[in-house]
Amino acid sequence: YKPVKGDKDNSYKPVKGDEDNSYKPGDVLYGNLEQSKLANHYGVYIGDCKVIDFSKKGVKQKPLKEFENGRKVHVKRFSNTRSADDIVKTAVHYDENKGEWGNYNVVTNNCEHFASYCATGKKSSR
């Protein structure tokens, strides 16, 4: 994975054969969890091939490749979103202020809640 030099929006440009996955800062990404075909893992793409996600280990910034973990990743679209800049700022805020987001709970405070809050200002999970 390579960010394109000189790209002002810090977009992720897909490698050949992966053209359907083009990520921009502020995109909410998701993909199947390794142990489940029914559940997805969510994170916020912040640019420079980095994602911020939330798990039992807390809010954490990681390389896109680590987030993808060999799985196909998609962009979740919301009908009502904040600006891309605000989405990234929100995710970075919680990454820089460890513990402020709270403890992980699979039902009430999970990765989808985190990503949807960053994107819309409201916690939601299906």
Side-chain angles (χ1 to χ4, degrees), residues 28 76-82 87 116 119-120 122 124:
V28 170
K76 176 161 176 127
R77 303 289 178 206
F78 294 89
S79 56
N80 234 358
T81 61
R82 297 172 166 174
I87 295 168
S116 67
T120 68
K122 295 179 183 175
S124 67

Side-chain angles (χ1 to χ4, degrees), residues 23-82:
Y23 312 136
K24 293 189 176 192
D27 281 348
V28 170
L29 307 181
Y30 71 96
N32 285 110
L33 288 171
E34 301 82 33
Q35 63 272 39
S36 172
K37 299 273 187 218
L38 302 175
N40 291 311
H41 184 60
Y42 290 79
V44 176
Y45 183 72
I46 61 168
D48 293 327
C49 293
K50 294 178 185 160
V51 174
I52 295 177
D53 67 358
F54 177 60
S55 68
K56 292 176 183 175
K57 296 177 183 177
V59 177
K60 182 180 174 189
Q61 185 178 137
K62 59 180 64 169
L64 174 62
K65 195 166 190 167
E66 182 182 328
F67 177 82
E68 289 176 324
N69 196 24
R71 64 183 164 225
K72 186 168 177 79
V73 172
H74 310 277
V75 177
K76 176 161 176 127
R77 303 289 178 206
F78 294 89
S79 56
N80 234 358
T81 61
R82 297 172 166 174

